[in-house]
Amino acid sequence: MNLRELSAITIYKLGLARWLFIHIPKNAGVAIRKNPELSTRLVGADPWFHVSRDYTRELAAYMAERGEHHGFQHARLRDIRADVRARLQPVAVVRNPWARVVSRYRFARTAIEIGTADADYVAPTFEAFLEERHVYGDLPFYWHRAIRGWYPQKDYVVDEAGELGAHVLRQENLAAEATRYFGLKKPLPVRNRSTAASDKPWRDYYEDRTRQIVADWYAEDIDFFGFDFDTSATRNVFFNDPVA
């Protein structure tokens, strides 16, 4: 039996998995989900684990009506069945919100440049992209979207009572933290990196006004995780070591 080829459902039913990965979009989730050392020790938010079949069907239909990919794997903690959450340890990765917004924009521009997304899928400038939060920010199921999803990261990791229900790692120190947390033999490789139109540092995308836009929109994340403009999370994370 090739264990690496087993489905997530089989891995779960055989009792091999230890962790449930909550994949917040644009937070190194592909690197974790595709890591061969974790192939039988971790499962993602496959539809079989969703809270109900109705949830999965409604999500798929809603996205299909809008020409969007369903993004099943980006389900939040409370979108997962209670028995799965009780059996496995949920874990997620969070990221500085200002950096994450830039990453989403770069990801979109890269998709347009290589022809995997329509030319008008995202606004042509970063400033205009920020205004799209008013278009997509409160749409149901849009926490499943990477580019058009404007939901806070906290929303992915809290339970029905609003309490933190997952171990949280930090993307800014993920090579060290994932190795330590999962007991990996090798650091996580970088995957799914955006190579968009501009290679300038993410901080250079901002001026005072746009910096404040993100601060206001993601105020809940900034407070809950203890972010500052140029820092990683400092609260409600599994490791509190300074980020190198």
Side-chain angles (χ1 to χ4, degrees):
M1 178 186 296
N2 187 344
L3 293 180
R4 292 185 181 182
E5 295 180 356
L6 294 178
S7 70
I9 300 171
T10 302
I11 291 168
Y12 178 81
K13 288 183 174 179
L14 289 175
L16 299 175
R18 177 178 175 184
W19 293 286
L20 166 68
F21 184 58
I22 304 300
H23 185 175
I24 304 173
K26 296 309 297 169
N27 286 9
V30 174
I32 290 177
R33 284 170 44 201
K34 301 297 184 182
N35 187 281
E37 291 188 57
L38 296 174
S39 61
T40 60
R41 301 163 62 201
L42 174 150
V43 297
D46 288 60
W48 191 79
F49 300 122
H50 288 176
V51 67
S52 70
R53 292 183 179 179
D54 284 345
Y55 177 91
T56 307
R57 285 194 289 261
E58 289 170 11
L59 163 62
Y62 188 85
M63 292 302 177
E65 288 173 1
R66 288 154 181 78
E68 301 272 18
H69 188 270
H70 50 68
F72 287 148
Q73 290 281 349
H74 295 306
R76 305 164 302 178
L77 179 67
R78 61 187 183 275
D79 302 323
I80 303 298
R81 286 169 23 206
D83 62 309
V84 176
R85 288 186 264 164
R87 179 171 167 179
L88 303 179
Q89 172 58 56
V91 58
V93 177
V94 299
R95 181 180 193 176
N96 176 288
W98 288 275
R100 183 170 176 264
V101 169
V102 171
S103 178
R104 290 170 44 227
Y105 174 69
R106 284 177 164 174
F107 183 65
R109 297 310 305 173
T110 296
I112 291 171
E113 289 170 9
I114 64 177
T116 57
D118 294 339
D120 61 351
Y121 187 72
V122 71
T125 68
F126 182 65
E127 291 75 12
F129 174 66
L130 292 177
E131 295 308 305
E132 292 186 352
R133 71 194 188 278
H134 298 302
V135 179
Y136 303 107
D138 296 322
L139 291 180
F141 294 118
Y142 264 64
W143 51 86
H144 285 271
R145 303 307 312 129
I147 296 167
R148 290 175 169 170
W150 288 89
Y151 281 80
Q153 296 173 83
K154 177 186 174 184
D155 199 49
Y156 290 85
V157 296
V158 295
D159 61 19
E160 291 84 351
E163 298 296 325
L164 179 64
H167 289 164
V168 175
L169 308 180
R170 298 170 294 182
Q171 177 155 328
E172 294 81 4
N173 204 37
L174 191 57
E177 292 188 7
T179 300
R180 185 176 169 188
Y181 182 82
F182 295 115
L184 301 178
K185 297 176 181 178
K186 297 180 181 180
L188 288 173
V190 176
R191 301 177 65 113
N192 209 15
R193 174 178 287 175
S194 301
T195 56
S198 173
D199 293 325
K200 65 184 180 181
W202 65 261
R203 294 170 182 82
D204 292 349
Y205 278 78
Y206 291 97
E207 40 86 23
D208 289 346
R209 185 184 68 85
T210 52
R211 175 174 169 174
Q212 190 60 48
I213 286 174
V214 174
D216 291 341
W217 188 263
Y218 289 117
E220 187 176 16
D221 278 348
I222 292 167
D223 177 66
F224 188 76
F225 293 111
F227 289 115
D228 202 347
F229 177 66
D230 55 0
T231 71
S232 62
T234 57
R235 289 195 292 270
N236 290 308
V237 290
F238 192 79
F239 296 113
N240 281 307
D241 307 351
V243 174

